Amino acid sequence: MFCYQCQETAKGTGCNIMGVCGKNPKVSNFQDLLIWTTKLISSYNSQLKENKITYNLESKANRFIINSLFITITNANFDDEAIVNEIKKGFILRDELKKELIKNSISLNNSYENLELATYEFSTIEDLEKVSKNIGVLRTENEDIRSLRELLTYGLKGMAAYVEHAQNLGKEDPTIFTFIENALLATVDESLGVNELIPLVLQCGEFGVKAMALLDNANTSKYGNPEITEVNIGVGNRPGILISGHDLKDLEDLLEQSANSGVDIYTHSEMLPGHYYPKFKEYPHFFGNYGNAWWKQKEEFESFNGPIVFTTNCIVPPSGKNTYSNRVFTTNATGFPGWTRIERDENGKKDFSQVIEMAKKCTPPTEIESGKIIGGFAHNQVLALADKVIDAVKSGAIKNFVVMAGCDGRSTSRNYYTDFAKALPMDSVILTAGCAKYKYNKLNLGDIGGIPRVLDAGQCNDSYSLVVIALALKDAFGLDDINDLPITYNIAWYEQKAVIVLLALLYLGVKNIHLGPTLPGFLSENVVKVLVENFGISGIDTVENDMKKFGIK
């Protein structure tokens, strides 16, 4: 195996024995093979679309590509059997698409590198394992080409996550699917060099903005615009179900099916922003948020006592002595050996009845903290406060905005972000989205004239809101360039959804982004040089040194 797609990759260069995330070589190699399969599906599907053929497999192919990319995101799926089943589905879909091409007298294009296995027939798991060892990241020998191909691929993975959430709410954009297919094929096109791949990476940022806007529209049209909300972080005296991840459709279905059951629903980690939507406030048993960011789940799942539902990535493999594995359920792209999966039925519905029945037999959650935290500052809500914010800036009450969005993680170096938040002067406001907020959202940082000093827009995909806010402020102050605003970008990254957020910011022209706690291991020295020279990308230092660098006093 070789994997360096996340921030915690071994020694900052790559995992080649066992993933720091917990995935073993077999899982890693099968994920590589699944990515290869998406490229093959993309090749055939794009050929049918280019030839304007009417066929009934396009939606199926789109769903397969998006879900397969999502499965390979860090911490999403550790179940080798489930991944092999997806590969099998891919081979079946490959053959169905080939039949359509042949039926319409279209010559098959298998010329791309890595697609020479287009005629491979699945036989045994052992044979599949052998194949999977030869199509990984290191197959691309040129370091700079490899770096750009992987940067593009990881951006696509992050984008796919957002597209799937929107799909689950009935929102799609055909141009996004077409771009993802073309970009996947670009990563195996030997005719493309550094000069051709760099614009594609920025174009990935453009479609990342489209994907986040699509999901924002899907969420708000279905559940209303997020509003300022105080969220309970204590516990009640009834049994509970803990729902983690990002998929709001799963949250809706679980709330609906568990109504009047005597069971309360709690959010965990990135599902916290579910409390900000008006629709979900209609459910009296939607109790509060339990715990912190994803990486603390081992101890928090133990004390929760009830069943846990993973709707998306952020799984931490449990220890051998855990007591909660028999009450964890996975769905969508997630999976872990031995955990129960909840699938859609033929009508696209999910049945959470077994989760609810299990919860009824469990003891209530053990309280680990109490009080409330405030959030709900997505773009619609902040723009409603625009006059107040602008007046505070003009009066000097607010001198700086600091975007501290992105991911949290296990490494102690991430305590930098807590210390940075504490060190900010009282005239600074933090704009955040994603689980990075757990480094400081429970600190008592106060407010500025009634405006909280931590404005939480929501999930990582809601980083889109922060861009909308910044663009609105630019227009309000009559500025020509978004970089003329008093905004500092100090972003933490962990996995591929943070990569697409970064590419989206670069596409929008945002410069001087500080990225930490370390720069990605998949960026070659020359690619880093391009990012530094053209966009001012840099890492982080000590809090004191960075405050001086950012000009924050």
Side-chain angles (χ1 to χ4, degrees), residues 70-228:
F70 201 170
I71 283 172
T72 66
I73 279 182
T74 303
N75 285 352
N77 202 308
F78 297 83
D79 190 344
D80 58 323
E81 184 177 337
I83 297 168
V84 167
N85 286 337
E86 290 302 313
I87 294 169
K88 288 180 182 178
K89 291 178 186 177
F91 287 159
I92 293 170
L93 179 56
R94 170 202 68 181
D95 292 340
E96 291 173 335
L97 292 168
K98 282 170 66 174
K99 286 180 182 178
E100 286 289 340
L101 287 164
I102 293 168
K103 183 175 72 175
N104 288 279
S105 301
I106 300 171
S107 300
L108 302 184
N109 182 358
N110 295 326
S111 61
Y112 295 109
E113 185 205 14
N114 295 5
L115 301 187
E116 70 271 21
L117 297 177
T119 58
Y120 176 81
E121 296 297 333
F122 179 86
S123 52
T124 66
I125 298 295
E126 290 73 24
D127 284 343
L128 207 60
E129 282 188 68
K130 290 178 183 177
V131 172
S132 71
K133 293 177 181 179
N134 298 318
I135 52 176
V137 170
L138 297 179
R139 183 165 179 170
T140 301
E141 294 180 1
N142 183 289
E143 184 182 18
D144 296 330
I145 298 292
R146 184 197 313 145
S147 179
L148 289 167
R149 284 179 173 180
E150 293 311 302
L151 177 56
L152 181 56
T153 299
Y154 303 152
L156 295 176
K157 289 185 180 188
M159 192 192 312
Y162 300 148
V163 171
E164 180 166 297
H165 296 322
Q167 263 189 321
N168 292 342
L169 291 173
K171 299 288 186 179
E172 294 186 350
D173 180 344
T175 66
I176 295 176
F177 294 126
T178 298
F179 173 76
I180 289 175
E181 286 179 347
N182 291 338
L184 282 170
L185 293 175
T187 66
V188 288
D189 188 341
E190 288 299 300
S191 70
L192 302 181
V194 169
N195 292 335
E196 291 78 25
L197 288 171
I198 288 175
L200 261 176
V201 167
L202 290 179
Q203 192 178 16
C204 186
E206 176 186 0
F207 280 89
V209 173
K210 283 188 175 185
M212 285 186 273
L214 180 72
L215 180 54
D216 179 76
N217 176 259
N219 288 337
T220 56
S221 63
K222 179 80 171 177
Y223 306 120
N225 283 298
E227 53 193 23
I228 300 173

Side-chain angles (χ1 to χ4, degrees), residues 250-260 265 279 282-283 285 356:
D250 287 332
L251 174 60
E252 178 190 18
D253 290 347
L254 180 60
L255 284 168
E256 186 64 33
Q257 293 176 34
S258 61
N260 303 313
I265 305 301
K279 173 66 177 176
E282 298 174 4
Y283 297 93
H285 66 303
I356 298 165

Side-chain angles (χ1 to χ4, degrees), residues 70 162 165 219 244-249 270-271 311-314 459-461 495 497:
F70 201 170
Y162 300 148
H165 296 322
N219 288 337
S244 189
H246 307 72
D247 199 289
L248 296 185
K249 182 63 171 69
E270 279 274 64
M271 197 59 84
T311 66
T312 62
N313 61 311
C314 296
Q459 297 178 339
C460 51
N461 52 278
E495 43 87 10
K497 283 177 283 184

